[in-house]
Amino acid sequence: MKRKEFIEICCFVSIGCTTIGFIFQSCSNPNFFAKANVVNNKIVLKKSEFKQTDFGNPNKRNFILIKIEAFEYPIYVYKFEEGDFSALLMKCTHLGCELQPYGDYLVCPCHGSEFTNRGKVQHSPADENLQTFEVTTDDENIYIHF
Ligand code: FES
């Protein structure tokens, strides 16, 4: 094999591996941003957004994320059971980093604070609970009041 052919093959393999890695990373991202509308200072969200139907997976999501223009940070909506939801602003109360969902917790990537899915501080350095929103429901929708 000539040097030029070897370099070309190495380049194709490298590009292929990078592309495949990106595709797998995209598919495995568990954070789902739901579609939501804002009506009269309420975020309106379909309860069906908690059904995970992509890739033929019949499971239900425990939480979903919402991003609307009114807030710089996403809102984390957790479903405990039918009619029992929490809605939390994903802004760390320590120095304001955006939190990341990790199982049933929210974790701060900056200095390691942790919060429960009800917004209570579990680990410092944060010492205040997260901003929460009132949540109401009807048969079809979830309403997050702000
Ligand atoms: Fe979150 Fe410091 S900003 S722990």
Side-chain angles (χ1 to χ4, degrees):
M1 177 182 298
K2 293 180 183 172
R3 183 172 182 266
K4 184 179 177 189
E5 290 173 348
F6 177 74
I7 291 172
E8 285 175 356
I9 290 171
C10 287
C11 286
F12 283 124
V13 169
S14 175
I15 291 169
C17 289
T18 303
T19 304
I20 288 170
F22 178 76
I23 289 169
F24 279 124
Q25 185 178 13
S26 300
C27 292
S28 65
N29 186 349
N31 297 334
F32 173 73
F33 280 84
K35 296 181 191 97
N37 296 312
V38 177
V39 181
N40 298 330
N41 288 352
K42 283 187 277 190
I43 300 168
V44 183
L45 174 69
K46 296 265 184 228
K47 285 182 172 177
S48 60
E49 294 284 6
F50 280 86
K51 290 182 184 156
Q52 188 171 13
T53 55
D54 47 340
F55 306 114
N57 187 341
N59 294 332
K60 295 185 175 166
R61 297 181 171 95
N62 291 335
F63 69 87
I64 57 176
L65 306 179
I66 300 168
K67 184 76 181 108
I68 63 168
E69 278 187 21
F71 295 99
E72 183 181 348
Y73 296 83
I75 296 172
Y76 170 91
V77 183
Y78 192 92
K79 181 178 181 179
F80 295 93
E81 58 188 51
E82 197 58 43
D84 185 9
F85 297 86
S86 66
L88 312 169
L89 189 65
M90 295 176 70
K91 178 181 180 182
C92 183
T93 55
H94 179 227
L95 294 177
C97 288
E98 184 173 316
L99 300 171
Q100 297 297 314
Y102 187 77
D104 290 345
Y105 289 85
L106 290 166
V107 178
C108 182
C110 293
H111 311 106
S113 290
E114 284 185 25
F115 303 86
T116 69
N117 49 17
R118 295 270 187 201
K120 306 276 186 226
V121 178
Q122 289 297 288
H123 291 289
S124 57
D127 59 2
E128 290 181 37
N129 296 333
L130 298 180
Q131 178 179 343
T132 61
F133 300 91
E134 179 190 358
V135 180
T136 56
T137 63
D138 61 19
D139 289 344
E140 191 176 329
N141 296 315
I142 300 162
Y143 304 94
I144 299 168
H145 303 254
F146 63 93

